[in-house]
Amino acid sequence: MKHIDLIIVGGGPIGIACGLEAKKKGINYCIIEKGTITNSLYNYPLNMQFFSSSEKLEIDDIPFISNEAKPKRNEALEYYRRIVTSNDLNINLFEKVVTVHKEGDIFHLTTDKSHYTSSYIIIATGFYDLPNTIDIPGEDLPKVSHYYKDPHFFAKQKLAVIGASNSAVDAALECYRKGADVTMLIRGPEIGKRVKYWVRPDIMNRIEEGSIKVFYNVTINKILPKTIQICNPDGEFSIQNDFVLALTGYKPNFEFLKKTGIQLSDDQKLYPQYNNETMETNIENLYLAGVICGGMDTHIWFIENSRIHAKTILNSISKKK
């Protein structure tokens, strides 16, 4: 069993930032990531463009130069990968943390490859791994996906996009432009209010001209191999369909947090308990960083405003050490 002073669970931008701070302070650390470097970003759509400008995605004051003011996925992957490699960060990739429990002052951490002990833990696991399911018959059909990657796949197909957020709007527009017959199914009365301001006019114009069909105030009853059964204020009906992108958002792994003993708010938000000044949870020496701090409100924290968590946490750990 290996002892490491600080284990950082999650190798996304905020986990990497924590690793950089630990290295600068001379703390023995290891980042453990279940996939590749910045695994969530890697699984974003190929052509995804960030809402934030490149300087607001920088960590540790390392310049992020992009072709446009708002960088794209491939540029972010290059940026964070170079930080990891050029700083020779201690990171274990494709190793999944299974359990974390504390005995006395020591944490015991089990992965699918090894066992560790540690004095301090930072959980920076993000939220992109678990989709918000709609829990209807047919959601498990092969034609249904909660992740979108490349529009080429849907060319000449009848595609239903469920959702009204940035991811749903981006997918609808890209697939329409690659030749898909796109229908958006939206639970509410309009396109999401947080859709990127430079994209909103595009989707509204495509809907208005009839290039992309849309049904608002929709309840989806059932997904079948060739149709979708839905209802709205006009009644129940079916639409022809080949593929479904159910882009209804994602959530943190709350079960993992519960198993570690972190207290969650007793409501639908499931906010984890932590000290705003140190990011330390109700479990001494166990910290949270990044988007996971927002519970189900995954829009509260993102790279731009949670970069500071790394310095905050490592300052707290340094004072204790």
Side-chain angles (χ1 to χ4, degrees):
M1 186 175 291
K2 310 168 191 175
H3 183 82
I4 300 171
D5 285 347
L6 167 63
I7 291 180
I8 301 161
V9 184
I14 306 306
I16 291 170
C18 291
L20 287 170
E21 284 296 316
K23 184 174 182 178
K24 286 194 295 185
K25 292 183 179 297
I27 296 174
N28 177 30
Y29 74 96
C30 180
I31 303 169
I32 301 180
E33 164 58 52
K34 72 177 184 323
T36 187
I37 298 169
T38 60
N39 192 67
S40 291
L41 297 189
Y42 175 75
N43 287 301
Y44 281 179
L46 294 181
N47 300 317
M48 193 276 294
Q49 188 171 30
F50 284 86
F51 193 94
S52 300
S53 56
S54 57
E55 72 271 10
K56 293 182 178 180
L57 298 176
E58 294 173 353
I59 55 177
D60 200 39
D61 297 322
I62 299 171
F64 183 174
I65 308 301
S66 59
N67 292 326
E68 303 176 50
K70 300 178 186 302
K72 294 189 175 181
R73 166 189 172 273
N74 64 318
E75 294 174 311
L77 292 178
E78 177 72 15
Y79 173 71
Y80 295 117
R81 181 176 67 249
R82 285 189 175 275
I83 288 178
V84 170
T85 55
S86 63
N87 288 278
D88 194 25
L89 292 186
N90 184 20
I91 182 168
N92 293 358
L93 299 173
F94 300 100
E95 181 173 359
K96 182 179 180 180
V97 176
V98 179
T99 61
V100 175
H101 72 278
K102 192 175 185 183
E103 295 180 7
D105 293 331
I106 298 298
F107 292 97
H108 293 258
L109 187 146
T110 301
T111 75
D112 56 2
K113 293 184 177 179
S114 189
H115 300 274
Y116 306 84
T117 60
S118 180
S119 302
Y120 304 92
I121 298 282
I122 300 173
I123 298 177
T125 49
F127 71 100
Y128 198 60
D129 295 327
L130 299 174
N132 292 321
T133 58
I134 49 182
D135 300 324
I136 59 169
E139 189 173 5
D140 57 349
L141 287 173
K143 69 183 241 182
V144 181
S145 176
H146 290 279
Y147 294 91
Y148 163 67
K149 196 75 173 180
D150 190 334
H152 174 84
F153 182 83
F154 302 104
K156 304 295 290 182
Q157 300 296 296
K158 294 184 182 299
L159 172 65
V161 179
I162 302 173
S165 64
N166 279 299
S167 57
V169 168
D170 286 345
L173 287 169
E174 289 185 7
C175 293
Y176 152 69
R177 293 197 165 98
K178 298 302 181 184
D181 180 359
V182 178
T183 300
M184 297 189 73
L185 303 177
I186 298 175
R187 180 177 58 182
E190 60 181 348
I191 295 292
K193 295 184 181 299
R194 289 193 294 270
V195 167
K196 291 172 282 195
Y197 64 84
W198 66 92
V199 174
R200 176 178 286 276
D202 191 1
I203 188 65
M204 298 309 298
N205 287 337
R206 302 294 77 73
I207 290 172
E208 184 176 349
E209 72 187 15
S211 298
I212 294 176
K213 296 180 287 294
V214 63
F215 293 100
Y216 296 109
N217 300 306
V218 161
T219 299
I220 302 168
N221 296 331
K222 190 175 185 179
I223 300 174
L224 298 167
K226 290 295 181 181
T227 60
I228 301 179
Q229 294 180 356
I230 61 178
C231 65
N232 65 11
D234 295 327
E236 296 185 13
F237 55 98
S238 294
I239 61 172
Q240 295 294 311
N241 173 255
D242 298 308
F243 289 98
V244 177
L245 285 173
L247 303 178
T248 51
Y250 308 92
K251 59 187 175 184
N253 189 338
F254 292 115
E255 286 304 312
F256 177 72
L257 296 184
K258 289 178 183 177
K259 287 179 181 178
T260 65
I262 296 173
Q263 294 180 1
L264 305 178
S265 64
D266 189 21
D267 55 26
Q268 293 182 341
K269 300 294 187 180
L270 298 175
Y271 296 133
Q273 180 179 323
Y274 63 90
N275 184 326
N276 290 321
E277 296 182 358
T278 64
M279 308 308 294
E280 188 174 19
T281 68
N282 56 286
I283 301 173
E284 187 178 7
N285 297 333
L286 193 157
Y287 298 81
L288 296 181
V291 70
I292 198 168
C293 299
M296 285 298 294
D297 283 337
T298 53
H299 62 279
I300 293 178
W301 293 104
F302 38 94
I303 300 171
E304 179 178 328
N305 67 352
S306 63
R307 299 175 295 179
I308 189 62
H309 292 172
K311 292 182 182 296
T312 299
I313 293 170
L314 268 299
N315 285 337
S316 173
I317 292 175
S318 295
K319 290 178 181 178
K320 290 187 176 188
K321 289 178 68 66

